[in-house]
């Protein structure tokens, strides 16, 4: 008997076979309306009361809750509305809203009118330059990890065997990503992932200790760069060793990409908030945001409804990447107030940390007495 195909996977495969115009029409119909929620709790950095309206899907809502709040929160569903009316409906039903976030799926981007404070990519790409003079190899974190890998004898094994990949994907990656991301996890099916692994000529980089696999990562290639695709740590690895194994995975992928002659490594996509833990981890290795977003990741509209203490505290702690309709990418950062001499140091520091290598503009906002754009530095392409 032929193997049974799960119903969900059957319809997913059937949908992929439909003509592009039909798929686009279906997506436009499906995404014309969205759910709206009111989220109320304590802001993550200050503990001040914060009320946020969110329009979109559950996965992004779950992430925003972790980014915005600490402690207990109240989640109040308002209902399903036309996407272009979601903000108006949310604000009219609650006079206490401080921030509004609206997820804009790809099917709705053409009709979206960005009359909001900022538009963020749903996911932004991070890269790291490779080479002896790169920020990566000159960084303290890389040298520390290099010493740790040697001291603890965390070795590398590289394979293109699809059978080993299937085992890694099923037994390591999928349990790892579901524990880490919970409801926000939406991995490919094992069949689709294996097809991509073979078709793209990917490599599986195992990290082992005394012959036992602690974890690994899948490395591919795209647009002349090595691509860090999937990573996972095996279940049952003690917490202290798991942290070292995670760093060793990055280290061995860096070194493998360098051995193969690549000058840069695509470290995948992160949320657009630069204080996000995953983004900070990658930046610790010398990675930087670049002018590329996930094609099917959509956009995230941000509107500042009220300039409360909670909002100002959250903005100060959460610089983010934004993109305008012309495709220019920028980093938006926030300070209490502009002071002579200090602002220049801040601009220079943020440009070097966030903008220069990835070619992003910089916008610095002062929050006092009223929020305003204090300084804009546009990135000039080298001639």
């Amino acid at each position: 008997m032929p193997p049974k195909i799960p119903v969900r996977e059957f319809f997913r495969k059937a949908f992929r076979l439909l003509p592009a115009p039909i798929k686009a029409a279906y997506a436009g119909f499906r995404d014309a309306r969205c759910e709206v929620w009111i989220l109320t709790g304590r802001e993550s950095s200050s503990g001040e009361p914060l009320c946020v309206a969110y329009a979109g899907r559950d996965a992004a809502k779950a992430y925003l809750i972790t980014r915005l709040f600490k402690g207990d929160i109240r989640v109040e569903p308002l209902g399903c509305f036309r996407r272009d009316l979601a903000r108006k409906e949310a604000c009219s039903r609650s006079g206490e809203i401080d921030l509004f976030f609206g997820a804009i799926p790809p099917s709705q981007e053409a009709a979206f009118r960005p009359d909001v404070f900022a538009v963020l990519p749903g996911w932004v790409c991070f890269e790291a330059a490779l080479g002896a003079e790169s920020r990566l190899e000159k960084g303290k974190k890389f040298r520390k990890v290099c010493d740790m890998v040697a001291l603890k004898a965390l070795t590398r094994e590289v394979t293109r065997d699809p059978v080993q990949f299937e085992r890694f994907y099923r037994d390591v990656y999928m349990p790892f990503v579901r524990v880490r991301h919970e409801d926000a996890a939406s991995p490919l099916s094992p069949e689709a992932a294996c097809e991509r692994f073979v078709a793209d000529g990917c490599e599986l980089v195992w990290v082992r200790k005394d012959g036992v696999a602690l974890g690994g990562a899948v490395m591919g290639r795209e647009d002349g760069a090595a691509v860090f695709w999937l990573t996972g740590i095996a279940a049952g690895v003690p917490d202290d060793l798991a942290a070292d194994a995670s760093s060793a995975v990055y280290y061995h992928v860096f070194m493998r990409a360098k051995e193969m002659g690549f000058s840069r490594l695509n470290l995948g996509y992160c949320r657009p908030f630069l204080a996000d833990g995953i983004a900070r981890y990658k930046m610790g290795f010398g990675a930087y945001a670049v002018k590329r977003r996930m094609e099917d990741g959509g956009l995230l509209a941000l509107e500042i409804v009220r300039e409360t203490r909670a909002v100002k505290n959250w903005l100060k702690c959460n610089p983010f990447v934004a993109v305008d309709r012309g495709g220019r990418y920028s980093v938006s950062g926030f300070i209490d107030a502009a002071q002579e001499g200090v602002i220049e140091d801040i601009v220079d520091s943020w440009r070097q940390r966030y903008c220069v290598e990835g070619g992003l503009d910089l916008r610095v906002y002062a929050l006092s007495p009223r929020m305003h754009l204090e300084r804009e530095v546009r990135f000039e392409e080298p001639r």
Side-chain angles (χ1 to χ4, degrees), residues 39 44 60-71 73 75:
L39 314 173
S44 57
K61 174 170 67 71
Y63 169 77
L64 281 174
I65 286 173
T66 66
R67 187 84 250 136
L68 290 160
F69 299 100
K70 67 177 179 182
I73 68 160
V75 179

Side-chain angles (χ1 to χ4, degrees), residues 288-308:
Y288 45 87
V290 298
K291 296 181 286 188
R292 185 163 65 253
R293 63 188 179 98
M294 189 182 292
E295 290 184 5
D296 59 355
L299 300 169
L300 183 66
L302 165 61
E303 178 64 18
I304 299 171
V305 182
R306 300 196 306 167
E307 294 182 29
T308 63

Side-chain angles (χ1 to χ4, degrees), residues 241-307:
L241 185 55
D244 289 340
S246 179
S247 296
V249 167
Y250 275 80
Y251 169 80
H252 282 303
V253 170
F254 290 142
M255 300 309 294
R256 178 59 179 165
K258 188 177 175 182
E259 285 175 6
M260 296 177 69
F262 290 104
S263 61
R264 55 194 176 92
L265 174 64
N266 178 334
L267 285 169
Y269 294 90
C270 294
R271 299 288 187 176
F273 301 102
L274 298 176
D276 175 88
I278 298 175
R280 288 171 58 192
Y281 185 81
K282 292 179 179 181
M283 287 190 289
F285 276 110
Y288 45 87
V290 298
K291 296 181 286 188
R292 185 163 65 253
R293 63 188 179 98
M294 189 182 292
E295 290 184 5
D296 59 355
L299 300 169
L300 183 66
L302 165 61
E303 178 64 18
I304 299 171
V305 182
R306 300 196 306 167
E307 294 182 29

Side-chain angles (χ1 to χ4, degrees), residues 12-307:
R12 183 180 292 169
K13 288 184 175 182
F15 184 78
R16 286 202 296 262
L17 297 175
L18 292 174
I22 294 179
K23 289 192 284 189
Y26 168 75
F29 174 78
R30 176 196 62 199
D31 297 333
R33 298 175 67 83
C34 63
E35 296 288 339
V36 178
W37 291 268
I38 303 297
L39 314 173
T40 308
R42 297 282 177 177
E43 189 268 326
S44 57
S45 61
S46 65
E48 294 282 349
L50 179 66
C51 183
V52 177
Y54 169 74
R57 295 182 180 175
D58 274 349
K61 174 170 67 71
Y63 169 77
L64 281 174
I65 286 173
T66 66
R67 187 84 250 136
L68 290 160
F69 299 100
K70 67 177 179 182
D72 296 334
I73 68 160
R74 186 172 80 247
V75 179
E76 178 189 353
L78 288 187
C80 187
F81 304 97
R82 271 176 42 192
R83 193 172 295 274
D84 58 336
L85 298 178
R87 180 177 54 170
K88 180 180 177 182
E89 290 289 345
C91 292
S92 67
R93 290 172 182 239
S94 174
E96 303 299 317
I97 290 174
D98 303 315
L99 292 172
F100 171 83
F101 286 95
I104 312 299
S107 65
Q108 301 295 308
E109 287 184 19
F112 173 59
R113 296 292 178 265
D115 56 337
V116 291
F117 175 73
V119 178
L120 289 61
W123 298 83
V124 64
C125 184
F126 279 72
E127 289 187 354
L130 303 174
E133 295 303 311
S134 67
R135 187 194 298 188
L136 165 69
E137 294 194 33
K138 290 169 69 176
K140 292 181 181 178
K141 183 170 185 175
F142 181 81
R143 295 198 299 270
K144 183 178 178 180
V145 170
C146 182
D147 293 341
M148 179 275 295
V149 167
L151 179 65
K152 298 195 174 181
L154 302 181
T155 59
R156 177 201 332 164
E157 177 188 320
V158 180
T159 179
R160 294 190 177 184
D161 181 3
V163 176
Q164 286 204 47
F165 171 77
E166 288 179 8
R167 181 164 68 86
F168 165 80
Y169 194 84
R170 181 186 64 247
D171 299 339
V172 178
Y173 172 73
M174 291 189 75
F176 175 78
V177 78
R178 282 175 174 153
V179 167
R180 193 170 188 177
H181 298 291
E182 298 179 344
D183 294 340
S186 54
L188 293 171
S189 69
E191 296 81 5
C194 192
E195 286 176 12
R196 178 175 170 182
F197 178 82
V198 174
D200 291 357
C202 297
E203 292 185 342
L204 171 59
V205 180
W206 285 111
V207 170
R208 297 183 181 274
K209 182 172 178 61
D210 300 328
V212 178
L214 302 180
V218 176
M219 190 179 79
R221 63 191 72 197
E222 183 179 63
D223 297 331
V227 177
F228 193 115
W229 178 27
L230 307 172
T231 185
I233 303 301
V237 176
D239 289 346
D240 56 341
L241 185 55
D244 289 340
S246 179
S247 296
V249 167
Y250 275 80
Y251 169 80
H252 282 303
V253 170
F254 290 142
M255 300 309 294
R256 178 59 179 165
K258 188 177 175 182
E259 285 175 6
M260 296 177 69
F262 290 104
S263 61
R264 55 194 176 92
L265 174 64
N266 178 334
L267 285 169
Y269 294 90
C270 294
R271 299 288 187 176
F273 301 102
L274 298 176
D276 175 88
I278 298 175
R280 288 171 58 192
Y281 185 81
K282 292 179 179 181
M283 287 190 289
F285 276 110
Y288 45 87
V290 298
K291 296 181 286 188
R292 185 163 65 253
R293 63 188 179 98
M294 189 182 292
E295 290 184 5
D296 59 355
L299 300 169
L300 183 66
L302 165 61
E303 178 64 18
I304 299 171
V305 182
R306 300 196 306 167
E307 294 182 29

